[in-house]
Amino acid sequence: MSLHKRPCHLRESDHKYVYEPTGEQMTISVTGVTSHGKPPVDYSKFPEAAPRGTHVHRLMEALATGEALPNPVSPEGIDCSSWYEQLSQNTFFDQIEVLGCEYTMVHRRKSLGGQLDLLCVFKDKCLLVDLKTKSKSWKAPSQEDIYSYKAQAGGYLYLITDGDDAGGGQMVDQCRTLIVTPTQTKWLPPMDPDDCFFAWEECWEKYSASLTTAACPF
Protein backbone atom coordinates (compact mmCIF):
# COMPACT_ATOMS: atom_id res chain seq x y z
CA MET A 1 0.00 0.00 0.00
CA SER A 2 1.47 3.32 -1.07
CA LEU A 3 2.29 6.00 1.47
CA HIS A 4 -0.22 8.83 1.45
CA LYS A 5 0.97 12.16 0.09
CA ARG A 6 1.90 14.56 2.85
CA PRO A 7 0.99 18.26 2.57
CA CYS A 8 4.51 19.48 1.84
CA HIS A 9 6.84 19.93 -1.10
CA LEU A 10 10.43 20.63 -2.02
CA ARG A 11 10.74 24.04 -3.65
CA GLU A 12 13.35 23.52 -6.34
CA SER A 13 14.27 27.20 -6.76
CA ASP A 14 16.02 27.34 -3.38
CA HIS A 15 15.81 23.70 -2.23
CA LYS A 16 13.57 24.58 0.71
CA TYR A 17 11.01 22.20 2.18
CA VAL A 18 7.62 23.86 2.63
CA TYR A 19 4.69 22.74 4.78
CA GLU A 20 1.73 23.70 2.63
CA PRO A 21 -1.07 24.31 5.21
CA THR A 22 0.95 27.09 6.89
CA GLY A 23 3.59 27.98 4.32
CA GLU A 24 6.34 27.24 6.86
CA GLN A 25 9.83 26.76 5.42
CA MET A 26 12.05 24.20 7.09
CA THR A 27 15.43 25.42 8.29
CA ILE A 28 17.44 22.31 7.44
CA SER A 29 17.24 19.14 5.35
CA VAL A 30 18.29 15.59 6.21
CA THR A 31 21.36 15.92 3.98
CA GLY A 32 22.08 19.32 5.51
CA VAL A 33 22.22 17.71 8.94
CA THR A 34 24.37 14.75 7.85
CA SER A 35 26.85 17.05 6.10
CA HIS A 36 26.83 19.73 8.80
CA GLY A 37 30.34 20.83 9.79
CA LYS A 38 31.95 19.32 6.71
CA PRO A 39 33.58 21.49 4.02
CA PRO A 40 31.00 22.27 1.33
CA VAL A 41 31.44 20.53 -1.99
CA ASP A 42 32.95 22.90 -4.55
CA TYR A 43 30.65 22.17 -7.47
CA SER A 44 32.52 24.69 -9.62
CA LYS A 45 35.12 21.94 -10.05
CA PHE A 46 32.43 19.48 -11.15
CA PRO A 47 29.81 21.64 -12.88
CA GLU A 48 28.01 18.67 -14.46
CA ALA A 49 27.72 16.60 -11.28
CA ALA A 50 24.67 18.21 -9.64
CA PRO A 51 22.45 18.50 -12.76
CA ARG A 52 23.46 15.00 -13.81
CA GLY A 53 22.54 13.59 -10.41
CA THR A 54 19.16 15.32 -10.50
CA HIS A 55 18.42 14.07 -14.01
CA VAL A 56 19.43 10.47 -13.31
CA HIS A 57 17.07 10.58 -10.33
CA ARG A 58 14.31 11.55 -12.78
CA LEU A 59 15.08 8.38 -14.72
CA MET A 60 14.96 6.30 -11.54
CA GLU A 61 11.56 7.74 -10.71
CA ALA A 62 10.28 6.95 -14.21
CA LEU A 63 11.63 3.38 -14.07
CA ALA A 64 10.07 2.82 -10.65
CA THR A 65 6.66 4.30 -11.45
CA GLY A 66 6.31 3.20 -15.07
CA GLU A 67 6.19 6.75 -16.43
CA ALA A 68 7.68 7.77 -19.76
CA LEU A 69 11.47 7.95 -19.60
CA PRO A 70 12.92 11.47 -19.75
CA ASN A 71 15.34 12.57 -22.45
CA PRO A 72 18.89 11.35 -21.71
CA VAL A 73 20.07 14.95 -22.07
CA SER A 74 19.21 17.06 -19.02
CA PRO A 75 17.52 20.48 -19.29
CA GLU A 76 20.98 21.97 -18.70
CA GLY A 77 22.34 20.11 -21.73
CA ILE A 78 24.25 17.45 -19.77
CA ASP A 79 24.43 14.11 -21.60
CA CYS A 80 23.45 11.38 -19.11
CA SER A 81 23.13 8.60 -21.69
CA SER A 82 25.72 6.26 -20.15
CA TRP A 83 24.19 6.55 -16.67
CA TYR A 84 20.75 6.01 -18.22
CA GLU A 85 21.92 2.88 -19.99
CA GLN A 86 23.37 1.37 -16.82
CA LEU A 87 20.34 2.15 -14.68
CA SER A 88 17.82 1.02 -17.30
CA GLN A 89 19.48 -2.40 -17.46
CA ASN A 90 18.86 -3.01 -13.75
CA THR A 91 15.91 -5.41 -13.58
CA PHE A 92 15.25 -4.48 -9.95
CA PHE A 93 12.74 -1.83 -11.02
CA ASP A 94 10.64 -4.46 -12.80
CA GLN A 95 10.25 -6.51 -9.62
CA ILE A 96 9.12 -4.00 -7.01
CA GLU A 97 5.95 -2.63 -5.52
CA VAL A 98 6.46 1.11 -5.06
CA LEU A 99 5.30 2.56 -1.73
CA GLY A 100 6.82 6.00 -2.24
CA CYS A 101 9.11 7.64 -4.79
CA GLU A 102 10.73 11.06 -4.39
CA TYR A 103 8.60 11.14 -1.25
CA THR A 104 8.69 14.45 0.62
CA MET A 105 8.35 14.78 4.40
CA VAL A 106 8.80 17.44 7.07
CA HIS A 107 9.02 17.67 10.84
CA ARG A 108 7.93 21.19 11.76
CA ARG A 109 9.02 21.11 15.40
CA LYS A 110 12.55 20.28 14.30
CA SER A 111 12.18 22.46 11.18
CA LEU A 112 13.48 19.49 9.21
CA GLY A 113 12.66 18.34 5.70
CA GLY A 114 13.70 15.42 3.54
CA GLN A 115 12.87 13.57 0.34
CA LEU A 116 13.60 9.86 0.10
CA ASP A 117 14.39 8.42 -3.31
CA LEU A 118 12.44 5.17 -3.14
CA LEU A 119 10.50 3.07 -0.66
CA CYS A 120 9.40 -0.27 -2.06
CA VAL A 121 8.66 -3.92 -1.45
CA PHE A 122 11.08 -6.38 -3.05
CA LYS A 123 10.83 -10.11 -2.41
CA ASP A 124 8.63 -9.56 0.65
CA LYS A 125 11.04 -7.05 2.21
CA CYS A 126 10.41 -3.32 2.57
CA LEU A 127 13.46 -1.45 1.29
CA LEU A 128 14.47 2.18 1.66
CA VAL A 129 16.60 2.84 -1.42
CA ASP A 130 18.91 5.79 -1.98
CA LEU A 131 20.44 6.39 -5.41
CA LYS A 132 23.92 7.90 -5.76
CA THR A 133 25.44 8.95 -9.09
CA LYS A 134 29.21 8.74 -9.43
CA SER A 135 31.81 9.28 -12.12
CA LYS A 136 33.62 6.57 -14.08
CA SER A 137 36.56 6.76 -11.66
CA TRP A 138 34.47 5.65 -8.65
CA LYS A 139 35.72 2.38 -7.17
CA ALA A 140 34.19 1.92 -3.72
CA PRO A 141 32.72 3.96 -0.87
CA SER A 142 34.92 5.19 1.95
CA GLN A 143 34.04 4.49 5.58
CA GLU A 144 32.96 8.13 5.84
CA ASP A 145 30.67 7.61 2.84
CA ILE A 146 29.08 4.55 4.42
CA TYR A 147 28.45 6.37 7.69
CA SER A 148 26.91 9.28 5.78
CA TYR A 149 24.65 6.89 3.84
CA LYS A 150 23.55 5.26 7.10
CA ALA A 151 22.78 8.60 8.73
CA GLN A 152 20.89 9.86 5.69
CA ALA A 153 18.75 6.72 5.59
CA GLY A 154 18.17 7.12 9.33
CA GLY A 155 16.91 10.64 8.81
CA TYR A 156 14.35 9.40 6.31
CA LEU A 157 13.33 6.60 8.66
CA TYR A 158 12.75 9.20 11.36
CA LEU A 159 10.59 11.34 9.08
CA ILE A 160 8.61 8.31 7.87
CA THR A 161 7.55 7.43 11.41
CA ASP A 162 7.68 10.77 13.26
CA GLY A 163 7.28 13.50 10.65
CA ASP A 164 4.16 15.64 10.37
CA ASP A 165 1.12 13.73 9.02
CA ALA A 166 2.99 10.42 9.26
CA GLY A 167 -0.16 8.43 9.94
CA GLY A 168 1.70 5.47 11.41
CA GLY A 169 4.60 5.42 8.95
CA GLN A 170 5.95 2.21 7.48
CA MET A 171 8.20 -0.52 8.89
CA VAL A 172 11.43 -0.86 6.86
CA ASP A 173 13.41 -4.11 6.72
CA GLN A 174 16.57 -2.87 5.01
CA CYS A 175 18.19 0.35 3.85
CA ARG A 176 20.09 0.06 0.57
CA THR A 177 22.31 2.34 -1.48
CA LEU A 178 22.44 1.95 -5.26
CA ILE A 179 25.48 3.45 -6.99
CA VAL A 180 25.26 4.22 -10.70
CA THR A 181 28.25 5.23 -12.82
CA PRO A 182 28.60 5.43 -16.61
CA THR A 183 29.99 1.88 -16.59
CA GLN A 184 28.14 0.01 -13.81
CA THR A 185 25.45 -0.16 -11.17
CA LYS A 186 26.42 -1.50 -7.77
CA TRP A 187 24.32 -2.30 -4.73
CA LEU A 188 26.14 -1.64 -1.47
CA PRO A 189 25.58 -4.14 1.37
CA PRO A 190 22.29 -3.92 3.30
CA MET A 191 22.19 -1.51 6.22
CA ASP A 192 20.23 -2.33 9.36
CA PRO A 193 17.53 0.29 10.02
CA ASP A 194 18.48 0.48 13.71
CA ASP A 195 22.11 1.23 12.81
CA CYS A 196 20.90 3.89 10.39
CA PHE A 197 18.68 5.47 13.01
CA PHE A 198 21.51 5.58 15.58
CA ALA A 199 23.82 7.22 13.01
CA TRP A 200 21.12 9.80 12.32
CA GLU A 201 20.68 10.50 16.04
CA GLU A 202 24.42 11.14 16.34
CA CYS A 203 24.34 13.59 13.44
CA TRP A 204 21.26 15.34 14.80
CA GLU A 205 22.82 15.69 18.27
CA LYS A 206 25.97 17.25 16.77
CA TYR A 207 23.88 19.60 14.65
CA SER A 208 21.71 20.60 17.62
CA ALA A 209 24.78 21.14 19.81
CA SER A 210 26.28 23.47 17.22
CA LEU A 211 23.11 25.58 17.26
CA THR A 212 23.24 25.83 21.06
CA THR A 213 26.90 26.84 20.95
CA ALA A 214 26.24 29.46 18.30
CA ALA A 215 23.39 30.92 20.36
CA CYS A 216 25.40 30.97 23.61
CA PRO A 217 29.15 30.84 22.90
CA PHE A 218 30.21 31.47 26.54
Side-chain angles (χ1 to χ4, degrees), residues 58-72:
R58 293 187 185 111
L59 172 64
M60 182 217 67
E61 183 176 11
L63 289 171
T65 60
E67 297 175 359
L69 302 187
N71 192 303

Side-chain angles (χ1 to χ4, degrees), residues 116-192:
L116 63 81
D117 290 345
L118 180 64
L119 189 72
C120 64
V121 176
F122 176 70
K123 295 184 177 179
D124 296 325
K125 291 185 181 295
C126 181
L127 308 182
L128 175 69
V129 179
D130 195 57
L131 177 72
K132 304 292 185 187
T133 56
K134 301 292 183 181
S135 67
K136 184 179 180 180
S137 62
W138 183 86
K139 301 299 182 185
S142 65
Q143 288 302 309
E144 184 179 7
D145 289 336
I146 292 172
Y147 180 81
S148 177
Y149 299 161
K150 282 185 179 179
Q152 186 177 351
Y156 298 141
L157 292 172
Y158 176 76
L159 288 174
I160 288 172
T161 57
D162 294 305
D164 285 75
D165 306 286
Q170 169 68 42
M171 293 298 296
V172 175
D173 296 302
Q174 290 181 356
C175 299
R176 303 297 303 265
T177 303
L178 175 60
I179 306 291
V180 57
T181 82
T183 58
Q184 64 171 322
T185 57
K186 181 177 178 62
W187 287 97
L188 300 187
M191 299 181 294
D192 181 83

Side-chain angles (χ1 to χ4, degrees), residues 30 67 84:
V30 167
E67 297 175 359
Y84 265 40

Side-chain angles (χ1 to χ4, degrees), residues 77-147:
I78 308 301
D79 186 0
C80 304
S81 299
S82 297
W83 286 262
Y84 265 40
E85 182 178 354
Q86 293 300 320
L87 196 59
S88 298
Q89 291 174 357
N90 197 310
T91 59
F92 168 79
F93 297 102
D94 299 325
Q95 305 174 59
I96 61 174
E97 175 191 352
V98 175
L99 304 180
C101 190
E102 299 297 334
Y103 187 70
T104 308
M105 303 166 286
V106 299
H107 191 297
R108 285 183 292 157
R109 185 170 57 81
K110 291 184 179 292
S111 199
L112 172 71
Q115 187 179 72
L116 63 81
D117 290 345
L118 180 64
L119 189 72
C120 64
V121 176
F122 176 70
K123 295 184 177 179
D124 296 325
K125 291 185 181 295
C126 181
L127 308 182
L128 175 69
V129 179
D130 195 57
L131 177 72
K132 304 292 185 187
T133 56
K134 301 292 183 181
S135 67
K136 184 179 180 180
S137 62
W138 183 86
K139 301 299 182 185
S142 65
Q143 288 302 309
E144 184 179 7
D145 289 336
I146 292 172
Y147 180 81

